[in-house]
Amino acid sequence: MLRQRPFIVEVLTAAALIAAPFVLPYLGFTPATVNRILVWGLFGIGFDILFGFTGLLSFGQSAFFGTGGMVAAYLLTMVNFPYVTTSLFIGMIAAGVIGYLVGLIALRRTGIYFAMITVAIAEVFFFVEFNPLSAYTGGENGLPGVPAPTLPLGFTTINFDSDASLYAFLAFWYFAGLVIALRIVRSPVGAVLRAIRDNPLRAAAVGHNIHSYKLTAFVIAAAYAGFAGGLLGIMQGFMPPDAFTFDTSGQLVMQTAIGGAGTLFGPLVGAAVWLYLSDFLQTTLHLGAAWKLVLGLVFVLLVCFLRRGIVGGFQDLYRLAIQLAVHGPAVKAEPKAAAPAADMTAEEEQKATHAALAKAPAAEPMPALSRKADASAGPILEATGLTKRYGGLVANSDIAFSVKHGECRGIIGPNGAGKTTFFKMLTCEIEPTSGRIVFDGRDITGKSVTDVCQLGLTKSYQVNQLFTRLTVRENVTISALAELRGKFRLDMFRQLPKIAGLAEQVERTLALVDLTDRADIPVAALAYGEKRRLEIGLALASSPSLLLLDEPLAGMSPRERVEMVALLKSIGQGRTMIIIDHDMGSLFELVERVTVLQEGRVLVEGTPEEIKSNKAVQEAYLGGVLEA
Ligand code: ATP
């Protein structure tokens, strides 16, 4: 997903880490401060994967920072365990395990409730550290006497006991942590985490087990925190109890916001700003307790004027410079058909576009992106007795519905007839109150939307559900990944381009929805009609054997409607589809049979011709609009 120039980020980081101890003192940083920045920077890498990449704001990272630090310090001081680095890893594993258990609870909720649970859990850890476990953690005294690491080389032993030598030790681990994090965010797992951040509902609907991915991010963040906590004890020669305090979690969040979330380097830069100002305001300006007030103001100003933080701001500037260098100042506009004359009515415009499309050369036939197109088999979908009640309101009542392999079915009905509710039950977004759904010979009633998508049934939404901060290509990639990798896979060190068949599937989908030229544009820059096509592209990229389209023509101009109908005709070849739409003229062009819903029930079913001439439909529902 990230454009990769192999190892450029790693090389630049290594160079910066080598140069930092020589350069930073001239800017007023003390060696001890530089070392602290590295510890906070490493702590923040894990947090950034959780917050910046996955969108989960935790205020409880101190629990893992403290746990990792205390476990490592306990081993080194109370047990006299001789291996410093091994104790760091044991602390990291302990924090990761605790992170897993906490994540199981906290991730049952989202948004503010998730954040509040993490606060509460961190407070529990703080209490436990100070009270029941004080014999192991030193209570309010912490654990003094944490030894410095050593590196035996045979002929000599390096002791990392001075600020300068400790810098080398910390910089090494920071670099290792960063390289691992870069691999993770560039992997398929990283791509899915970003999708969850942008639109968890759609990430689940295209077939990813978002709970497991969120838990993975939570454990990664806890493990980074645990390792950094261990480094804190080593750096200070003392494991302080305040590692567990809410202040620690809050400082981490603020530093990440200042530096820039979702950048990996943001927490390091934020820590540099925070710790430098803290030193400067207290030691040089002698502001005493008022230093937090000034720091608070700086935080508010930075977050208001640099919404993506310092690193994010630099990234934006860099992208802008590249864009200007490559394309010039104008953003490439959507390729459009000839604009309609200003005085044309909507009907005239639609006719003109029909004529233009009829004259246009036929598109290259695309191979179907479908798992199965076996027309000889029986029904692909069968619903019986499907009912959905919301309290006293019956949205769907005793619906019997069947669709054959390869069929293109339309569903119509007035507003509130229960069409969307019906689709939601078919894709298992909501559970029916009663009834049964059989898809491809399997009873899918009560399954999750993710599992059903993995089986080959998915839908495009009435209101676009896109991954808004990603590009068009990245959007389609998220969907294709679910089909190629299954609903959950921990391939954290695999590179996206190495996934067999991914690039082909993405390119085919883009071509199918006519977005190849717009592949590298951020979704936010697309025109509405393009967004609707991408919405369908997301559903198509998971190679469904049954595709449901909920009002694909909704909100489109007459010209966009005609183009969309042509597109749906082309993607409908060799594919089973069910389409809901209010535009009956267009829908009847597309489908072989139509089901009419009224007040949550099936009113009638038949060919478009039968529906047009059906008296019950005309009188009871359409009010004669189809008679003409
Ligand atoms: P439209 O064409 O306007 O999209 P529709 O045919 O898709 O309408 P639904 O959205 O399925 O209709 O709604 C059917 C009925 O169920 C409506 O009366 C609606 O208010 C009700 N309904 C839908 N979702 C809910 C919900 N979550 N809670 C309560 N009532 C709901």
Coordinates of all heavy atoms in Angstrom, one line a residue, residues 388-391 393-396 411-424 430 462 550-551 580-582 597 599-600, ligand 1:
K388 N -38.5 -10.0 10.0 CA -37.7 -9.1 10.9 C -38.7 -8.1 11.6 O -39.4 -7.4 10.9 CB -36.7 -8.4 10.1 CG -35.8 -7.5 11.0 CD -34.9 -8.3 11.9 CE -34.2 -7.4 12.9 NZ -33.4 -8.2 13.8
R389 N -38.7 -8.2 12.9 CA -39.5 -7.2 13.7 C -38.5 -6.3 14.4 O -37.5 -6.7 15.0 CB -40.3 -8.0 14.8 CG -41.4 -8.8 14.3 CD -42.0 -9.5 15.5 NE -42.6 -10.8 15.1 CZ -43.7 -10.9 14.5 NH1 -44.4 -9.9 14.2 NH2 -44.1 -12.1 14.1
Y390 N -38.9 -5.0 14.4 CA -38.3 -4.0 15.3 C -39.3 -3.6 16.3 O -40.2 -2.7 16.0 CB -37.8 -2.8 14.5 CG -36.6 -3.1 13.6 CD1 -36.8 -3.1 12.2 CD2 -35.4 -3.3 14.1 CE1 -35.7 -3.3 11.4 CE2 -34.3 -3.6 13.3 CZ -34.5 -3.6 11.9 OH -33.4 -3.8 11.1
G391 N -39.3 -4.2 17.5 CA -40.4 -3.9 18.4 C -41.7 -4.3 17.8 O -41.9 -5.4 17.3
L393 N -42.9 -3.0 15.0 CA -42.9 -2.8 13.6 C -42.3 -4.0 12.9 O -41.3 -4.5 13.2 CB -42.0 -1.6 13.3 CG -42.0 -1.1 11.8 CD1 -42.1 0.4 11.7 CD2 -40.7 -1.6 11.1
V394 N -43.1 -4.5 11.9 CA -42.7 -5.7 11.1 C -42.1 -5.2 9.8 O -42.8 -4.8 8.9 CB -43.8 -6.6 10.9 CG1 -43.3 -7.9 10.2 CG2 -44.6 -7.0 12.2
A395 N -40.7 -5.2 9.7 CA -40.0 -4.7 8.5 C -40.1 -5.7 7.4 O -40.3 -5.3 6.2 CB -38.6 -4.3 8.9
N396 N -40.0 -6.9 7.7 CA -40.1 -8.0 6.7 C -41.0 -9.1 7.4 O -40.9 -9.4 8.5 CB -38.8 -8.6 6.4 CG -38.0 -7.9 5.4 OD1 -36.9 -8.3 5.0 ND2 -38.5 -6.7 4.9
I411 N -35.4 -6.1 -7.3 CA -36.4 -6.0 -6.2 C -36.8 -4.5 -6.2 O -36.0 -3.6 -6.2 CB -35.8 -6.4 -4.9 CG1 -35.4 -7.8 -4.8 CG2 -36.7 -6.1 -3.7 CD1 -34.8 -8.3 -3.5
I412 N -38.2 -4.4 -6.2 CA -38.7 -3.0 -6.2 C -39.7 -2.9 -5.0 O -40.1 -3.9 -4.5 CB -39.3 -2.5 -7.5 CG1 -40.5 -3.4 -7.9 CG2 -38.3 -2.4 -8.6 CD1 -41.3 -2.9 -9.1
G413 N -40.0 -1.7 -4.7 CA -41.0 -1.5 -3.6 C -40.9 -0.1 -3.2 O -39.9 0.6 -3.3
P414 N -42.0 0.5 -2.6 CA -42.0 1.9 -2.2 C -41.1 2.1 -1.0 O -40.6 1.1 -0.4 CB -43.4 2.2 -1.8 CG -44.0 0.8 -1.5 CD -43.3 -0.2 -2.4
N415 N -40.7 3.3 -0.7 CA -39.9 3.6 0.5 C -40.5 2.9 1.7 O -41.7 3.0 1.9 CB -39.8 5.1 0.8 CG -39.1 5.8 -0.3 OD1 -39.6 6.6 -1.1 ND2 -37.8 5.5 -0.4
G416 N -39.6 2.3 2.5 CA -40.1 1.6 3.7 C -40.7 0.3 3.5 O -41.2 -0.3 4.4
A417 N -40.6 -0.3 2.3 CA -41.2 -1.6 2.0 C -40.5 -2.7 2.6 O -41.0 -3.8 2.7 CB -41.3 -1.8 0.5
G418 N -39.2 -2.4 3.0 CA -38.4 -3.5 3.7 C -37.3 -4.1 2.8 O -36.8 -5.1 3.1
K419 N -37.0 -3.4 1.7 CA -36.0 -3.9 0.8 C -34.6 -4.0 1.4 O -33.9 -5.0 1.4 CB -35.9 -3.1 -0.5 CG -37.3 -2.9 -1.2 CD -37.2 -2.0 -2.4 CE -36.8 -0.5 -2.1 NZ -37.8 0.2 -1.3
T420 N -34.2 -2.9 2.0 CA -32.8 -2.9 2.6 C -32.7 -3.8 3.8 O -31.7 -4.5 3.9 CB -32.5 -1.4 3.1 OG1 -32.4 -0.6 1.9 CG2 -31.1 -1.3 3.8
T421 N -33.8 -3.9 4.6 CA -33.8 -4.8 5.7 C -33.6 -6.3 5.2 O -32.9 -7.1 5.7 CB -35.1 -4.7 6.5 OG1 -35.3 -3.4 6.9 CG2 -35.2 -5.6 7.7
F422 N -34.3 -6.6 4.1 CA -34.2 -7.9 3.5 C -32.8 -8.2 3.0 O -32.3 -9.3 3.4 CB -35.2 -7.9 2.2 CG -35.2 -9.2 1.5 CD1 -35.5 -10.4 2.3 CD2 -35.0 -9.3 0.2 CE1 -35.5 -11.6 1.6 CE2 -35.1 -10.5 -0.5 CZ -35.3 -11.7 0.2
F423 N -32.1 -7.2 2.4 CA -30.7 -7.4 2.0 C -29.8 -7.6 3.2 O -28.9 -8.4 3.2 CB -30.3 -6.2 1.2 CG -30.3 -6.4 -0.3 CD1 -31.0 -7.4 -0.9 CD2 -29.5 -5.5 -1.1 CE1 -31.1 -7.5 -2.2 CE2 -29.5 -5.7 -2.5 CZ -30.3 -6.7 -3.1
K424 N -30.1 -6.8 4.3 CA -29.3 -6.9 5.5 C -29.4 -8.3 6.1 O -28.4 -8.9 6.6 CB -29.7 -5.9 6.5 CG -29.1 -4.5 6.2 CD -29.5 -3.6 7.3 CE -28.9 -2.2 7.1 NZ -29.5 -1.2 8.0
I430 N -27.8 -8.3 9.9 CA -28.8 -8.4 11.0 C -29.4 -9.8 11.0 O -29.5 -10.4 10.0 CB -29.9 -7.3 10.9 CG1 -30.7 -7.4 9.6 CG2 -29.4 -5.9 11.1 CD1 -31.9 -6.5 9.5
Q462 N -26.3 1.0 -0.2 CA -27.2 2.1 -0.6 C -26.4 3.4 -0.4 O -26.5 4.3 -1.3 CB -28.5 2.1 0.2 CG -29.5 3.0 -0.3 CD -30.8 2.9 0.5 OE1 -31.0 2.0 1.3 NE2 -31.7 3.8 0.3
D550 N -27.6 -2.7 -3.6 CA -28.6 -1.9 -3.0 C -28.6 -0.5 -3.6 O -27.8 0.3 -3.3 CB -28.4 -1.8 -1.4 CG -29.7 -1.4 -0.7 OD1 -30.6 -0.9 -1.4 OD2 -29.7 -1.4 0.5
E551 N -29.6 -0.2 -4.4 CA -29.8 1.1 -5.1 C -28.5 1.6 -5.7 O -28.1 2.7 -5.3 CB -30.4 2.1 -4.1 CG -31.8 1.6 -3.6 CD -32.6 2.8 -3.0 OE1 -32.3 3.9 -3.3 OE2 -33.5 2.5 -2.1
I580 N -31.6 -3.9 -6.0 CA -32.8 -3.1 -5.5 C -32.6 -1.8 -6.2 O -31.5 -1.2 -6.2 CB -32.7 -2.9 -4.0 CG1 -32.9 -4.1 -3.2 CG2 -33.7 -1.8 -3.6 CD1 -32.7 -4.0 -1.7
D581 N -33.7 -1.2 -6.8 CA -33.6 0.2 -7.2 C -35.0 0.8 -7.4 O -36.0 0.0 -7.6 CB -32.8 0.4 -8.5 CG -32.0 1.7 -8.4 OD1 -32.6 2.7 -8.7 OD2 -30.8 1.7 -8.1
H582 N -35.0 2.1 -7.2 CA -36.3 2.8 -7.5 C -36.5 3.2 -8.9 O -37.6 3.5 -9.3 CB -36.4 4.1 -6.6 CG -36.6 3.8 -5.1 ND1 -37.8 3.3 -4.6 CD2 -35.7 3.8 -4.1 CE1 -37.7 3.1 -3.3 NE2 -36.4 3.4 -3.0
L597 N -41.9 -5.9 -3.3 CA -42.1 -5.9 -1.9 C -43.1 -4.8 -1.5 O -43.0 -3.7 -2.1 CB -40.9 -5.7 -1.1 CG -39.8 -6.9 -1.0 CD1 -38.8 -6.5 0.0 CD2 -40.5 -8.2 -0.6
E599 N -45.0 -3.3 2.1 CA -45.2 -3.5 3.6 C -44.5 -4.7 4.1 O -45.1 -5.5 4.9 CB -46.7 -3.4 3.9 CG -47.2 -2.0 3.6 CD -48.7 -1.9 3.8 OE1 -49.3 -2.9 4.2 OE2 -49.3 -0.9 3.5
G600 N -43.3 -5.0 3.7 CA -42.5 -6.1 4.2 C -42.9 -7.4 3.7 O -42.3 -8.5 4.1
Ligands
ATP1 P1 -36.0 2.7 1.1 O1 -36.5 2.4 -0.2 O2 -36.4 4.1 1.6 O3 -34.6 2.5 1.3 P2 -36.7 0.1 2.2 O4 -37.7 -0.5 1.4 O5 -35.2 -0.3 2.0 O6 -36.8 1.7 2.1 P3 -36.2 -0.5 5.0 O7 -35.0 0.5 5.1 O8 -35.8 -1.9 4.9 O9 -37.1 -0.1 3.8 O10 -37.1 -0.2 6.2 C1 -38.3 -1.0 6.4 C2 -39.0 -0.5 7.7 O11 -38.2 -0.9 8.8 C3 -39.1 1.0 7.8 O12 -40.4 1.3 8.3 C4 -38.0 1.4 8.7 O13 -38.3 2.5 9.4 C5 -37.9 0.2 9.6 N1 -36.5 0.0 10.1 C6 -35.4 -0.3 9.3 N2 -34.3 -0.4 10.1 C7 -34.7 -0.2 11.4 C8 -34.1 -0.2 12.7 N3 -32.8 -0.5 12.8 N4 -34.9 0.0 13.8 C9 -36.2 0.2 13.7 N5 -36.9 0.2 12.5 C10 -36.2 0.0 11.4

